[in-house]
Amino acid sequence: MGFFQYMVGAVASLGLLFPAEAVTSAATGAAREETESSQTAICREFLQTTANLWFLLSGIRNREDADRSADYFLELVHRVCVLDEQLGSASTASGLPLEVEEVVRGRRSEDSAAELESLQVRILESFEDLNAEFLGLCRVHCYGSEKLARAFVAAGESGMFAEESLALLAEPTTPLSEAETQEEMLRLKRLVEPDRALLQVLQQVKDAASAGRAVEPLAALTKRLRGLLPPIPVAHRRISPRELPRMRAATAPIEPLLWGIRTELVRIAALPGYDAAAYDPFSEALNAMYESLGESHSGLFDDVFDASFRADLDEALQENAPEP
């Protein structure tokens, strides 16, 4: 599987409210057209609600943001739970569970069935992004907001979020010391050169041949990034508020490079014939590089390679897809 197909299609098991099998169909019977229409409408609102949740959590950058977001967070979580129950009811009304409904020609159009399946896949993918934001906020103890932390614990009872994420809220944490902050800023400074080199390597990929030539440089850069991972005592801990201006200055040279890398990944996804076997070695090298890039850049990575990145990749792959 290529890197981009992996990025768009991979959905982790993260305590979702309905099973991943919901995106497949099995020939066991026909669902009523009105039931399918109801499910589609519910799925649309479901997707919009999870998107609202993601935007809410991704916009939290300090304690004040966290305090302001707590009530709306719980409101959205409650709405997701209601919609999940409605999906279950719609499935029951059809006489079949949602995951085994058959697409029957003459009873439902192919376009309608495709839309429902697409919505289900997108909902599952949205939960991956949503859980990533939730996990990140748990790691920083909701920026010290007791109100949002309580809301997170209450939301955990719905089963929507992983227990491992909530467990982080109970762990004691302290801001980075001045010495730790200084070391982290030096580490970030060392990332600039390999980031720039990575961007240059990706910019040279124009076809299968140039992708093949990029495999060895990508492997070398991945090794360099692995050597620049933050130490465990520092990873995912928050910066003292008085050190934030210095930390922003340290990350300023990195951010445009990450955005450039993102742009190149989307461009490469749209290259003609990217799904051919000739690109497989490049895709494998890209998988390893992408993982190391995320681990070495921590919060910066999440700000750039967010849900919109997956949407851009999906669009690029659709343009690249062969005609049926």
Side-chain angles (χ1 to χ4, degrees):
M1 177 181 293
F3 166 76
F4 298 107
Q5 287 80 4
Y6 169 80
M7 281 299 302
V8 173
V11 180
S13 176
L14 293 169
L16 303 181
L17 301 187
F18 52 86
E21 289 82 5
V23 301
T24 63
S25 298
T28 59
R32 291 196 300 266
E33 289 185 5
E34 59 270 23
T35 300
E36 179 215 60
S37 177
S38 174
Q39 289 172 345
T40 300
I42 296 170
C43 282
R44 286 181 187 141
E45 185 180 352
F46 206 132
L47 182 61
Q48 183 60 58
T49 305
T50 56
N52 291 343
L53 260 173
W54 180 86
F55 279 112
L56 178 70
L57 297 185
S58 65
I60 297 174
R61 290 291 181 267
N62 52 52
R63 181 172 181 172
E64 291 73 22
D65 291 341
D67 285 339
R68 285 194 300 267
S69 301
D71 291 339
Y72 188 40
F73 168 77
L74 283 178
E75 179 183 331
L76 290 172
V77 168
H78 174 71
R79 186 57 188 162
V80 167
C81 293
V82 170
L83 290 168
D84 182 59
E85 292 178 0
Q86 290 178 356
L87 273 178
S89 298
S91 301
T92 301
S94 73
L96 295 169
L98 182 62
E99 64 267 25
V100 296
E101 286 191 276
E102 180 186 17
V103 178
V104 179
R105 297 178 185 232
R107 299 291 304 273
R108 59 169 74 173
S109 70
E110 291 184 5
D111 288 345
S112 179
E115 180 186 11
L116 180 59
E117 181 174 343
S118 174
L119 285 168
Q120 291 165 357
V121 171
R122 290 167 63 192
I123 288 170
L124 290 171
E125 291 176 344
S126 74
F127 270 102
E128 183 179 11
D129 297 313
L130 180 57
N131 273 272
E133 292 296 334
F134 186 86
L135 174 61
L137 287 169
C138 287
R139 282 171 170 163
V140 297
H141 284 228
C142 298
Y143 291 103
S145 169
E146 294 183 4
K147 185 175 182 181
L148 185 61
R150 289 194 298 269
F152 274 18
V153 171
E157 298 176 0
S158 70
M160 192 189 312
F161 301 102
E163 294 182 1
E164 292 81 1
S165 298
L166 289 165
L168 295 174
L169 287 175
E171 295 180 358
T173 185
T174 56
L176 296 182
S177 67
E178 184 175 350
E180 289 172 327
T181 301
Q182 183 64 31
E183 286 296 319
E184 177 63 4
M185 288 190 292
L186 289 173
R187 187 188 71 84
L188 291 170
K189 185 177 180 180
R190 297 187 186 102
L191 288 172
V192 174
E193 199 280 328
D195 285 354
R196 184 178 292 114
L198 174 57
L199 177 57
Q200 292 171 350
V201 168
L202 295 176
Q203 287 171 336
Q204 300 305 311
V205 177
K206 309 293 184 182
D207 50 28
S210 55
R213 292 192 294 271
V215 170
E216 187 174 343
L218 281 177
L221 287 169
T222 297
K223 185 175 181 180
R224 290 184 62 183
L225 289 173
R226 296 296 301 175
L228 290 170
L229 299 184
I232 293 176
V234 171
H236 307 303
R237 282 172 54 202
R238 60 189 176 92
I239 305 296
S240 172
R242 68 175 180 274
E243 298 288 355
L244 284 176
R246 295 175 62 203
M247 187 59 70
R248 292 192 188 102
T251 59
I254 298 176
E255 292 179 12
L257 294 173
L258 290 179
W259 280 103
I261 291 168
R262 168 180 165 150
T263 298
E264 291 305 310
L265 291 178
V266 174
R267 178 189 63 80
I268 294 171
L271 288 176
Y274 181 79
D275 57 347
Y279 280 95
D280 286 351
F282 172 77
S283 291
E284 292 176 6
L286 210 53
N287 284 337
M289 179 281 299
Y290 187 84
E291 180 179 351
S292 296
L293 193 70
E295 293 177 355
S296 58
H297 289 71
S298 191
L300 282 173
F301 181 86
D302 295 333
D303 289 341
V304 176
F305 297 92
D306 55 11
S308 65
F309 171 58
R310 180 178 287 107
D312 289 345
L313 278 183
D314 191 25
E315 183 177 352
L317 288 169
Q318 292 300 321
E319 294 176 358
N320 190 29
E323 293 293 334

